[in-house]
Amino acid sequence: MFSIIQAAGWPVWFLIISSFLAVALIVERAISLRRRRVIPEHLLDEVLTLHRNRQTTPEMVQKLEANSPLGRVLATGLRHALEGRDSMKEAMEETGRAVAHDLERYLGALGTLATVAPLLGLFGTVIGMIEIFGAQSPQGTNPAALAHGISVALYNTALGLVVAIPALIAYRAYRSRVDGFLVEMEQQSLRLMDTLDPRRRPPVTAPITPTPAAAAPAR
């Protein structure tokens, strides 16, 4: 490994740092974007059951908010349930934007690394080409300098692609996962609003009592 780094020259250190950063971001996002951590299964059903049983206490709402990103959105809806559908929707959308920002954390950095890594490899290639041309002299070509320049050019190009390809695949995969989570959270939020909206509840009607029959007309 050290021999490869030595053959690739000093430009390879930029790619090594980029590779460590890419691996760290990929692992961190893989842990943070697990489905059971973002959208726990049956969480909305449990919230609706507690609401029907009139057990939505402030302590329960606070615990729900700390449960998961979906729990933050649902807890906001419960807090604004008595303010009307419009106020509840606006508050949940505001919380949803904050949740989306948290879910997209570090994805921009990962995408940047996927874009920059090939450019760093190209930079190393240019340095290698400069060394190749520097090996030419009126007295002849220096074989050692020529071989080193070729090594710098090829190793940096290859390592740039090695860093960029996994980073780009991970970025696309996490981007798609976050978009799916946001759509599902929006659907569950609408379901919560429809359940808590008093205008959608069936009206309570008084039982219809039969009226006494009209008196028959006299003959």
Side-chain angles (χ1 to χ4, degrees):
M1 184 65 183
F2 181 75
S3 61
I4 295 177
I5 296 175
Q6 188 176 9
W10 62 267
V12 77
W13 288 105
F14 296 105
L15 288 169
I16 292 175
I17 295 173
S18 299
S19 66
F20 281 120
L21 291 175
V23 170
L25 293 178
I26 290 172
V27 173
E28 192 277 336
R29 288 293 86 188
I31 296 174
S32 299
L33 295 179
R34 289 176 297 175
R35 180 177 181 82
R36 66 175 179 270
R37 184 171 183 175
V38 178
I39 304 180
E41 192 175 2
H42 306 307
L43 179 62
L44 177 60
D45 295 331
E46 295 175 1
V47 171
L48 295 179
T49 300
L50 292 174
H51 177 72
R52 285 192 294 267
N53 296 333
R54 301 183 182 275
Q55 298 177 353
T56 53
T57 61
E59 292 77 11
M60 186 277 290
V61 175
Q62 186 175 3
K63 183 178 179 181
L64 175 64
E65 185 177 20
N67 176 271
S68 61
L70 175 61
R72 288 176 58 186
V73 178
L74 300 180
T76 302
L78 292 176
R79 286 195 179 101
H80 295 81
L82 301 179
E83 300 177 8
R85 182 183 179 89
D86 293 337
S87 298
M88 181 168 54
K89 182 179 180 180
E90 183 179 354
M92 294 178 74
E93 287 178 349
E94 183 177 352
T95 303
R97 286 190 292 268
V99 168
H101 181 268
D102 292 341
L103 294 179
E104 294 171 355
R105 184 181 301 170
Y106 304 133
L107 290 185
L110 187 59
T112 301
L113 288 175
T115 305
V116 170
L119 298 179
L120 293 176
L122 180 61
F123 172 73
T125 303
V126 172
I127 297 298
M129 296 299 294
I130 293 174
E131 293 190 6
I132 291 174
F133 288 113
Q136 307 291 331
S137 65
Q139 291 77 20
T141 302
N142 185 351
L146 180 63
H148 184 263
I150 295 174
S151 297
V152 171
L154 295 180
Y155 275 121
N156 280 274
T157 302
L159 291 175
L161 295 176
V162 168
V163 175
I165 292 174
L168 181 60
I169 293 174
Y171 170 76
R172 294 295 185 183
Y174 293 151
R175 177 77 265 177
S176 177
R177 186 182 302 182
V178 168
D179 291 341
F181 286 158
L182 294 178
V183 170
E184 189 168 351
M185 280 194 284
E186 183 179 2
Q187 293 174 348
Q188 296 200 27
S189 300
L190 291 175
R191 183 182 168 192
L192 178 67
M193 285 191 293
D194 291 341
T195 303
L196 300 183
D197 188 3
R199 293 176 298 178
R200 285 182 171 267
R201 298 173 187 172
V204 179
T205 57
I208 301 176
T209 56
T211 56
R219 295 182 181 177

